[in-house]
């Protein structure tokens, strides 16, 4: 296992486990797995973004979970035999796939890995809860403000790994509505845009809350 790859993994991730894994590269729109397939791997995203989706009765896509660089993806599948969603690359993505059975075994044997994995999953669960709360907001402006508040770095930066149309899907908005809302926030001085980078300039707490 190259040292460069080891350095991309969390400190708690056992090198012996990583050695049993394999690297996979996906292009935008390629499937990592399909619904109903047997669960054989745990995925760790080294670079890129993935989404787990289900098709709604009328054919629309329902995004259940998203994962980005530095996160496990579809980790809840460790508790099942088969995937319940489709796993699709949002953009060019590089993954480490580790045998699921060996992950389960290592969790039982290594306290450091078990704790690190549990804390990582807790952080990801908090992020998903924010996403679910966001799409419950009625106004497009409130959803965008919520996204900016929750997803920006301490410096107020968000680097989007995928096109704006994917962010619109994430926020359950029409692309035109998202573009208009971002333009309004930029005009009002809350936001700066530079290609796929968003920078939050100033935002009052009441704006974030949508009150």
């Amino acid at each position: 296992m190259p040292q460069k790859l080891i350095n991309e993994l969390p400190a708690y991730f056992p090198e012996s486990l990583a050695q049993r894994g394999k690297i996979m590269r996906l292009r935008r729109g390629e499937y990592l797995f399909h619904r109903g397939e047997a669960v054989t791997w745990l995925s760790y995203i080294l670079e890129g973004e993935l989404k787990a989706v289900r098709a709604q009765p009328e054919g629309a896509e329902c995004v259940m979970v998203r994962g980005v660089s530095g996160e496990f993806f579809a980790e809840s599948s460790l508790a099942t035999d088969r995937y319940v969603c489709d796993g699709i690359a949002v953009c060019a993505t590089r993954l480490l796939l580790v045998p699921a059975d060996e992950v389960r075994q290592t969790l039982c044997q290594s306290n450091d890995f078990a704790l690190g994995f549990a804390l990582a999953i807790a952080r990801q669960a908090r992020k998903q809860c924010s996403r679910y709360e966001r799409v419950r907001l009625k106004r497009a402006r409130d959803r965008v403000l919520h996204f900016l508040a929750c997803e920006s770095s301490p410096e107020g930066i968000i680097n989007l790994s995928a096109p704006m149309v994917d962010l619109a899907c994430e926020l359950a908005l029409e692309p035109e509505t998202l573009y208009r809302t971002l333009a309004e926030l930029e005009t009002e001085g809350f936001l700066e845009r530079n290609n796929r980078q968003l920078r939050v300039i100033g935002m009052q707490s009441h704006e974030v809350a949508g009150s």
Side-chain angles (χ1 to χ4, degrees), residues 26-199:
L26 298 173
R27 296 187 298 272
R28 172 180 167 83
E30 281 194 294
Y31 283 74
L32 174 62
F33 53 78
H34 292 84
R35 184 178 182 179
E37 287 183 351
V39 176
T40 55
W41 304 95
L42 173 67
S43 306
Y44 183 81
I45 305 174
L46 298 166
E47 190 175 10
E49 183 175 351
L50 290 163
K51 59 183 177 181
V53 303
R54 287 186 182 179
Q56 296 180 358
E58 70 275 17
E61 181 182 272
C62 179
V63 179
M64 308 299 292
V65 174
R66 285 182 181 265
V68 297
S69 304
E71 294 182 347
F72 293 100
F73 180 69
E75 66 284 348
S76 62
S77 61
L78 287 175
T80 64
D81 295 326
R82 297 188 178 275
Y83 293 107
V84 298
C85 299
D86 294 324
I88 306 173
V90 174
C91 58
T93 300
R94 184 167 57 95
L95 304 147
L96 175 66
L97 303 182
V98 185
D101 287 343
E102 298 195 27
V103 171
R104 296 185 187 100
Q105 182 178 352
T106 306
L107 286 170
C108 294
Q109 296 173 343
S110 171
N111 290 335
D112 288 343
F113 179 53
L115 177 59
F117 185 76
L119 292 177
I121 300 310
R123 287 190 293 269
Q124 291 176 209
R126 178 182 57 80
K127 183 177 179 180
Q128 295 302 330
C129 286
S130 294
R131 177 179 177 272
Y132 297 142
E133 180 65 23
R134 185 154 54 241
V135 296
R136 292 178 58 196
L137 298 173
K138 293 182 179 181
R139 294 196 308 165
R141 181 185 181 90
D142 292 339
R143 294 185 191 181
V144 173
L145 288 171
H146 191 284
F147 173 79
L148 295 173
C150 293
E151 304 301 331
S152 61
S153 70
E155 296 75 30
I157 301 295
I158 299 177
N159 290 305
L160 301 174
S161 60
M164 281 290 180
V165 66
D166 287 306
L167 176 58
C169 181
E170 165 73 7
L171 299 176
L173 298 173
E174 292 297 325
E176 295 78 9
T177 303
L178 174 61
Y179 299 145
R180 183 175 62 253
T181 303
L182 290 174
E184 290 173 356
L185 291 172
E186 193 169 23
T187 300
E188 294 169 17
F190 288 128
L191 183 69
E192 283 185 355
R193 290 184 290 173
N194 182 16
N195 294 323
R196 291 186 183 176
Q197 184 181 88
L198 306 177
R199 185 168 76 89

